[in-house]
Each structure stands twice: as structure tokens, then as C-alpha cells.
């Protein structure tokens, strides 16, 4: 270890409102993906640490301070958390950019929205109503919703704060508590937010953070019997593994998994605008998004022009250290992810024999040699049978395919195991609605991409997962529903004396 390494901060776990050491002295390095330099070290939480965190969350959930809090008091607290978050945005921009390598302009634009997720869910906490249900007979039937309990949440490296907040806001606003396991690559902003929230008045134990690897710490959290709801954003295989573990305990689940977003470009739409949206959808976040517009399916009449212009656009994108505001594309998160993207470039060239029209290399700039960079890459003449059409790459990588008819375009779009998002480029409003209805996915953008809102449900179908984040759908998934049936008739009842005269059993 160098003297510089010795000065790097070592983070403990965040349990019961304070930073605590893990049971093991094993630590994991957190690197700056733009430079390869050591940013911090984190604890590798053991099964015992996870158990301690879940018990803390359970105790906080059952504590009178939290369990008896009125909806309006809880909403005021959640709004206060939003204010505290907003007051520390500049700190979060800097820390997240250093940790995950996303350009600071992208980070600023994304994280600035996040306080509103808390405010929206604070509003839901005040507005929530339970139902009175008309039923047959002289009865009053109403429902009572109660928070499910402790929510286990495993978050990914690509949007550390945003994806965590999509779950955290409804979790706390509903009256649940949580244990979060952030990606081992990008844990720093999650640890910092937990500290800020407790300082702002969130009861200790309501928001705990355990750091470590997925197969160890993540597995221990997913299978813990104290978890009432399991939330994961990650790869489809991770969803299958952790979903089956949580399923053994019949935990509620929200799984937002892989994607291979099709973008249908019709010939009535401006090609230059289609290219601009394609570059945004494919290369934002260095392509490390589950809704990356990685399959551009383009009408044959504008196909050649589209390919030429998208290749030219990709070559103009400025690559560099993401802390520089002039930089438009930062690195992928790790050397492992860089190698994965480079391997798919090899597959596209050698196995699929698609036509590479832009990128396909590590940048030649020696100043970037220690970082995990890949040029924006565009393959043309891609067919549905090719691996680069079917498999998620998770990098700055896009394929372009040709179609002749609307039915052919829809068939190509739906020819995927994934179903998170889709997009349509057309000036024909009738076509837009018609095609959107036929796409097999959970989210559709028409003449836009990558837009979300706290009020708009977010999630997929098929191998892209189950459940929804955001909107009333997410908030409502944090409750158990109890039905209360009250008989309003005082007439004597004795089934076994008056069996013949009874007209109703159920």
C-alpha cells in the first residue's frame, strides 16, 4: 500500500443511524473509473452484518416513534429530507461523478430531479385513502392498509442515487424501513445520503446501508427472513437468483432488470432529429442504462441517410474526464465493463459480421489510458439473428437495422427476451398510438427518450422484471391490504338451528 492509499477513507457500514465497522476486516476498493485511481475503501458486510442491519430496520419499523407517526407528520419529515437533499446537491454531483464516471453535466441534470421524488411521495402519504366497498347484504366492508415492513434494496452502479431514490422515497413515505446494498462500484453517495437523512431527523434504523459483493452481501440480504419486500435493479440473471431467494420467504418483489430498447424510426420523421435522439438514447450515461436505445430499427427509405449521420454524430462526441463540463462521454464503470463492451465489438465484427461505421476502439488519447473508456460505437446492417441485436451490452454501443413495413418493424422490436422500454419516431399521431399499443414493453416514448417522472410508473415485462417503480403503483406496493367486514344486522344468528331457512353461506 502506498502512502497515498493509506490516506484514502475507509467506510464502515451505516446501521442504526451511525457508521459502524463490519464483522470482517475485509475491504473492497472503490476506483475512479476515469483515472483508475483509488477513491475509497468499503467494508465487505457479512451475513452477521446484514442480520444486524435488518434487525435495526425492524426495530425502527416497530418503534412507536415511527409506527405511530401520523401521515401528515410523516409527510412533513419526508419533505424535510427533500430539502436537505436539495441543500447538498453540489456535494452529490461531485461525489457521484467521481464514483461512477458519468459526465458532471449529466449527473447534475439527473440528480437535481431527485428531491421531487420525496415530495411526490410525501403528497401520496397525505392523500392516501382506504376504500369502503359496496357488498351484498347488510354489511359494511372497508380496507385497512398497513406498511409491509422492512424493504431490502439492491441498487446498481449506473445511476446510484436515482435508482435508490425511486425505492427509498415510497419506502419511507409509506412507513416502511429499509436496508440498502449499493453496488460495490458506486456506494459513496448512498452512504452519504443515509448520514444526511439521520442528521435531518430520520429515526435511526429507518435507513441502513450495507456494502459488499452481490454473491455474498446481496445474497444474505435477499434471503433474510426479516425482509418483507425485495427490490433489485440489475441484470436479469441477478433478478432470477435473488428473486428466487426472496421468494422462499414470500417477500413482495419489484425487479427492474435488463433491457434491449427498440427505437422505431419511420420515414415521416425528420432524420436529423431521429439521429440526435438516437445518440442521446444510446450514449447517455456511456450507454450504461437499462433503457439504452441500443436497437435503432429504421425505415428503408431513410436508412442509409440515418446510418451516415449517426456515424458522423458519434464521431463528434467529446470523450474525457467527466469532471470537465465540456466532456460529453465519460468512461464505463470498471475495467470489467470495458472488457465486456470490447468483447461485444469483437462479436459484432467477427461472429455477426455486421458493418462497423463508428467507434469500436479504446480512445487513443494517452491521457485516458488509465480510465475505462470506449468510443461511441455504431454497427449497421444488423439483423435480428445477430447476438448484438439480442444481447444487452451495457455500454456506448448501438446497432442499426432496416425495415420495410410497420408490421415488420413491430415484429423486430418485439423479437427480444426483454421488455422494459421502446421508442417511436413518427410525425403521424395515429401511427404513434397504434404502434405503442403493440410494443411489448412497460414504457414507450414517442419522439423522445429516457424521460421519467415521480408520478409515471416505471418497469418492464418479460425478462425485464416485475412490479413498478414511481407513481401510485410503487407507493401502493408497500402495503398489505386488510379487509374488514362488519355485520350491521342485530338479528339473532344460529346456523345449526335455522339451517333450512338460511339463504346465504358466503
Amino acid at each position: 500500500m502506498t502512502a497515498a492509499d493509506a490516506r484514502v477513507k475507509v467506510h464502515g457500514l451505516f446501521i442504526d443511524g451511525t457508521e459502524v465497522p463490519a464483522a470482517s476486516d475485509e475491504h473492497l476498493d472503490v476506483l475512479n473509473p476515469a483515472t483508475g485511481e483509488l477513491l475509497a475503501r468499503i467494508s465487505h458486510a457479512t451475513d452477521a452484518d446484514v442480520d444486524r442491519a435488518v434487525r435495526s430496520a425492524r426495530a425502527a419499523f416497530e418503534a412507536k416513534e415511527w409506527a405511530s407517526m401520523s401521515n401528515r407528520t410523516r409527510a412533513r419529515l419526508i419533505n424535510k429530507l427533500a430539502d436537505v437533499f436539495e441543500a447538498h446537491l453540489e456535494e452529490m454531483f461531485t461525489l457521484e461523478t467521481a464514483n461512477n464516471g458519468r459526465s458532471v453535466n449529466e449527473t447534475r441534470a439527473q440528480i437535481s430531479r431527485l428531491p421531487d421524488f420525496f415530495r411526490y411521495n410525501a403528497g401520496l402519504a397525505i392523500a392516501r385513502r382506504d376504500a369502503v366497498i359496496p357488498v351484498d347484504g347488510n354489511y359494511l366492508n372497508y380496507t385497512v392498509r398497513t406498511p409491509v415492513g422492512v424493504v431490502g434494496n439492491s441498487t446498481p452502479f449506473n445511476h446510484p442515487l436515482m435508482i435508490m431514490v425511486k425505492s427509498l422515497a415510497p419506502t419511507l413515505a409509506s412507513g416502511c424501513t429499509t436496508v440498502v446494498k449499493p453496488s460495490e462500484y458506486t456506494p459513496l453517495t448512498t452512504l452519504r445520503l443515509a448520514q444526511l437523512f439521520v442528521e435531518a431527523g430520520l429515526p435511526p434504523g429507518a435507513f441502513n446501508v450495507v456494502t459488499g459483493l452481490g454473491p455474498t452481501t446481496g445474497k444474505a440480504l435477499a434471503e433474510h427472513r426479516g425482509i418483507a419486500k425485495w427490490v433489485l435493479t440489475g441484470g436479469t440473471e441477478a433478478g432470477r437468483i435473488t428473486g428466487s431467494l426472496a421468494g422462499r420467504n414470500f417477500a413482495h418483489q419489484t425487479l427492474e432488470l435488463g433491457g434491449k430498447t427498440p427505437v422505431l424510426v419511420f420515414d415521416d420523421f425528420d432524420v436529423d432529429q431521429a439521429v440526435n435522439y438516437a445518440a442521446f438514447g444510446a450514449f447517455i450515461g456511456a450507454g450504461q442504462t437499462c433503457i439504452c436505445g441500443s436497437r435503432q430499427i429504421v425505415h428503408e427509405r431513410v436508412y442509409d441517410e440515418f446510418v451516415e449521420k449517426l456515424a458522423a454524430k458519434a464521431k463528434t462526441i467529446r470523450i474525457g474526464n467527466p469532471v470537465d463540463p465540456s466532456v460529453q462521454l465519460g468512461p464505463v464503470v470498471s475495467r470489467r465493463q470495458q472488457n465486456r463492451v470490447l468483447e461485444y465489438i469483437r462479436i459484432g465484427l467477427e461472429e455477426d459480421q455486421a458493418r462497423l461505421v463508428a467507434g469500436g476502439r479504446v480512445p487513443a488519447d494517452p491521457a485516458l489510458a488509465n480510465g475505462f473508456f470506449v468510443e461511441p460505437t455504431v454497427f449497421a446492417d444488423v439483423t435480428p439473428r445477430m447476438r448484438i441485436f439480442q444481447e444487452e451490452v451495457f455500454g456506448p454501443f448501438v446497432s442499426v437495422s432496416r425495415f420495410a413495413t410497420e408490421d415488420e418493424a413491430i415484429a423486430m422490436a418485439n423479437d427480444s427476451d426483454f421488455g422494459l422500454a421502446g421508442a417511436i419516431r413518427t410525425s403521424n399521431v395515429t401511427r404513434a398510438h397504434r404502434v405503442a399499443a403493440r410494443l411489448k414493453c412497460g414504457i414507450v416514448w414517442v419522439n423522445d427518450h429516457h424521460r421519467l417522472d415521480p408520478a409515471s410508473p416505471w418497469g418492464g415485462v418479460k425478462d425485464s422484471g416485475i412490479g413498478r417503480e414511481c407513481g401510485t403503483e410503487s407507493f401502493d406496493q408497500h402495503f398489505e391490504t386488510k379487509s374488514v367486514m362488519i355485520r350491521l344486522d342485530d338479528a339473532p344468528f344460529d346456523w345449526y338451528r335455522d339451517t333450512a331457512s338460511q339463504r346465504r353461506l358466503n
Side-chain angles (χ1 to χ4, degrees):
M1 179 185 296
T2 67
D5 288 350
R7 293 194 295 269
V8 168
K9 179 171 175 55
V10 178
H11 293 270
L13 312 175
F14 196 85
I15 299 176
D16 210 29
T18 190
E19 184 175 338
V20 298
S24 166
D25 59 2
E26 181 183 358
H27 292 92
L28 305 171
D29 290 346
V30 179
L31 304 182
N32 182 329
T35 64
E37 296 172 338
L38 184 65
L39 268 180
R41 288 192 171 90
I42 56 171
S43 299
H44 191 178
T46 65
D47 289 12
D49 294 317
V50 171
D51 181 66
R52 180 181 176 187
V54 174
R55 289 179 183 275
S56 172
R58 187 70 200 183
F61 175 72
E62 295 176 345
K64 183 177 181 181
E65 178 187 9
W66 187 251
S68 300
M69 188 178 290
S70 71
N71 291 339
R72 292 185 180 274
T73 300
R74 193 182 310 282
R76 283 195 295 271
L77 174 59
I78 302 305
N79 277 317
K80 183 180 179 182
L81 300 183
D83 294 341
V84 169
F85 192 166
E86 202 160 62
H88 288 82
L89 281 177
E90 201 64 41
E91 175 187 359
M92 292 300 183
F93 300 151
T94 302
L95 188 57
E96 184 126 317
T97 293
N99 198 176
N100 83 335
R102 192 169 189 177
S103 80
V104 69
N105 292 332
E106 291 182 18
T107 302
R108 187 183 302 275
Q110 184 179 80
I111 294 180
S112 295
R113 293 284 321 279
L114 300 188
D116 284 345
F117 282 76
F118 291 96
R119 295 183 177 114
Y120 172 77
N121 281 276
L124 293 182
I126 293 176
R128 58 169 285 206
R129 293 181 178 182
D130 291 319
V132 175
I133 304 170
V135 295
D136 190 34
N138 197 15
Y139 294 91
L140 171 65
N141 183 206
Y142 63 89
T143 60
V144 177
R145 291 187 297 165
T146 55
V148 296
V150 179
V151 177
N153 185 8
S154 179
T155 62
F157 62 76
N158 54 339
H159 309 299
L161 271 180
M162 185 197 75
I163 289 175
M164 190 265 293
V165 162
K166 284 196 296 183
S167 172
L168 182 65
T171 293
L172 298 179
S174 66
C176 294
T177 58
T178 191
V179 179
V180 177
K181 192 211 83 71
S183 167
E184 63 272 20
Y185 294 114
T186 55
L188 301 183
T189 46
T190 299
L191 286 164
R192 178 61 177 140
L193 193 66
Q195 179 185 32
L196 288 172
F197 278 7
V198 169
E199 291 172 358
L202 187 68
F207 178 12
N208 305 276
V209 183
V210 292
T211 53
L213 300 175
T216 51
T217 309
K219 176 178 179 293
L221 184 58
E223 67 185 1
H224 198 287
R225 291 186 62 83
I227 295 296
K229 179 177 171 65
W230 174 243
V231 179
L232 177 134
T233 300
T236 298
E237 191 57 31
R240 287 194 177 100
I241 293 169
T242 63
S244 65
L245 293 172
R248 294 175 188 172
N249 298 319
F250 302 105
H252 301 251
Q253 296 194 38
T254 299
L255 306 176
E256 199 255 75
L257 308 177
K260 192 71 175 176
T261 299
V263 181
L264 280 60
V265 181
F266 290 93
D267 61 335
D268 62 359
F269 193 75
D270 182 79
V271 173
D272 290 324
Q273 280 299 295
V275 166
N276 289 340
Y277 277 125
F280 172 73
F283 303 136
I284 202 81
Q288 297 172 116
T289 66
C290 296
I291 47 79
C292 171
S294 54
R295 291 190 293 154
Q296 300 287 320
I297 300 170
V298 182
H299 193 276
E300 60 185 7
R301 278 199 285 268
V302 295
Y303 178 84
D304 291 335
E305 181 185 1
F306 179 93
V307 169
E308 180 183 353
K309 289 183 173 180
L310 180 58
K313 181 80 173 180
K315 294 170 185 176
T316 69
I317 294 174
R318 293 188 295 276
I319 307 172
N321 193 315
V323 300
D324 181 350
S326 69
V327 164
Q328 297 171 320
L329 183 73
V332 294
V333 76
S334 66
R335 187 73 68 194
R336 177 183 178 184
Q337 195 63 26
Q338 181 191 46
N339 289 336
R340 175 184 172 88
V341 179
L342 294 174
E343 172 62 11
Y344 271 101
I345 292 169
R346 185 200 67 77
I347 290 168
L349 288 168
E350 298 178 11
E351 295 184 24
D352 292 339
Q353 297 187 344
R355 179 163 58 101
L356 179 67
V357 296
R361 299 173 301 178
V362 172
D365 185 350
L368 305 180
N370 293 327
F372 313 133
F373 294 89
V374 181
E375 292 178 339
T377 297
V378 182
F379 276 96
D381 303 342
V382 176
T383 67
R385 298 282 63 82
M386 294 181 182
R387 288 181 63 184
I388 61 172
F389 184 92
Q390 293 290 342
E391 298 176 16
E392 186 176 33
V393 178
F394 225 65
F397 186 110
V398 60
S399 70
V400 188
S401 305
R402 185 192 309 262
F403 76 87
T405 68
E406 182 178 303
D407 285 345
E408 182 186 6
I410 293 168
M412 291 173 69
N414 291 335
D415 185 5
S416 174
D417 291 335
F418 299 110
L420 182 56
I424 304 164
R425 311 283 180 251
T426 182
S427 298
N428 184 323
V429 66
T430 304
R431 171 184 283 149
H433 288 293
R434 183 172 64 239
V435 174
R438 295 179 63 189
L439 292 181
K440 296 178 180 178
C441 57
I443 309 160
V444 178
W445 294 288
V446 177
N447 302 339
D448 209 333
H449 206 93
H450 209 312
R451 305 299 178 184
L452 78 160
D453 189 272
S456 181
W458 179 282
V461 300
K462 299 191 285 186
D463 283 4
S464 290
I466 57 173
R468 292 294 180 269
E469 296 175 304
C470 305
T472 57
E473 290 82 356
S474 176
F475 183 77
D476 290 343
Q477 288 167 9
H478 288 78
F479 294 92
E480 301 281 11
T481 300
K482 180 187 299 181
S483 175
V484 179
M485 182 80 76
I486 301 175
R487 184 180 182 223
L488 301 178
D489 189 343
D490 290 331
F493 173 82
D494 186 342
W495 174 271
Y496 294 102
R497 189 188 69 183
D498 303 321
T499 301
S501 64
Q502 298 291 349
R503 295 291 180 266
R504 174 177 174 155
L505 179 61
N506 295 317

